[in-house]
Amino acid sequence: MLKRYLMLSFCTLAALTATAKVRLSHLIGDHMVLQQQAEARLWGWARPGQTIKVTTHFFGKPATQLAKADAKGQWLVSVKTPKAGYKPYVITFDDGRDVTTVSHVLVGEVWVCAGQSNMEMPMKGFGNCPTEGYNQAVVEARDHRAIHYVKIPATMRMTPQADADCRWLEIGPQTVGDCSAAG
């Protein structure tokens, strides 16, 4: 019985490992903004020892960087970014089996707003109490589509984290209400 259980466990683990696909940090996704004229770090997870091919098209032609997943399956690559602009880019992550594509990537200025409790106040306010100027911000939101944002949830941890439950959004009438009112 134990032999059968061990064999079944081994086969299940082998099947899961064989189908593992490159996984990106949630900070790396559609609509993200990368700092202009910098070395942007992109990272994720894959099968241990697997090579990940990261391809950008920032400078008019494809540029490929290779990353190899360590024993824990973690990998990291740095890519050069161009000057700021409104042109959306695509970045592909190829693990040799599947290609993961991140679309509508902008390059520009990345601002980190943190440290004060007033940064928690969204434009729509809390409950049924919007902030001053909220309705005008909704009306004008379509004029600011080049502004993208990500809200990283506040969680207490004793060690640095490689991921956060978040996603990038483009400013629009439906999303402007979740942006910080303090910014």
Side-chain angles (χ1 to χ4, degrees):
M1 181 70 162
L2 180 60
K3 200 176 206 182
R4 184 179 286 170
Y5 174 75
L6 289 174
M7 186 60 151
L8 181 62
S9 296
F10 175 76
C11 290
T12 302
L13 182 61
L16 289 173
T17 304
T19 61
K21 154 181 182 174
V22 66
R23 182 174 68 87
L24 303 174
S25 166
H26 287 87
L27 292 169
I28 301 167
D30 293 343
H31 304 288
M32 76 175 168
V33 178
L34 296 176
Q35 181 63 40
Q36 69 168 326
Q37 298 178 311
E39 292 277 332
R41 294 168 54 133
L42 306 172
W43 69 96
W45 300 267
R47 287 180 304 153
Q50 189 168 22
T51 299
I52 309 302
K53 183 168 70 169
V54 180
T55 305
T56 61
H57 299 269
F58 294 140
F59 298 100
K61 60 182 179 176
T64 299
Q65 298 283 335
L66 298 178
K68 188 167 186 157
D70 65 15
K72 294 181 180 177
Q74 300 172 341
W75 56 268
L76 169 73
V77 67
S78 293
V79 296
K80 291 183 184 222
T81 59
K83 290 181 180 179
Y86 296 106
K87 177 183 179 186
Y89 294 99
V90 171
I91 302 174
T92 59
F93 301 85
D94 185 348
D95 66 0
R97 295 175 188 218
D98 293 308
V99 176
T100 300
T101 302
V102 175
S103 301
H104 204 258
V105 176
L106 294 183
V107 176
E109 289 300 311
V110 177
W111 295 3
V112 177
C113 304
Q116 295 294 320
S117 59
N118 62 349
M119 290 305 302
E120 291 292 320
M121 173 69 81
M123 285 293 294
K124 66 184 174 190
F126 292 122
N128 233 356
C129 188
T131 61
E132 183 177 338
Y134 170 63
N135 291 332
Q136 190 62 32
V138 171
V139 170
E140 295 173 358
R142 281 187 176 33
D143 298 334
H144 303 288
R145 293 244 186 238
I147 298 175
H148 295 194
Y149 72 98
V150 61
K151 182 173 180 175
I152 300 170
T155 56
M156 298 296 286
R157 298 283 194 271
M158 296 302 286
T159 59
Q161 302 296 298
D163 203 1
D165 187 16
C166 59
R167 70 184 178 115
W168 286 88
L169 296 170
E170 179 181 89
I171 289 292
Q174 286 77 32
T175 60
V176 72
D178 292 323
C179 290
S180 172

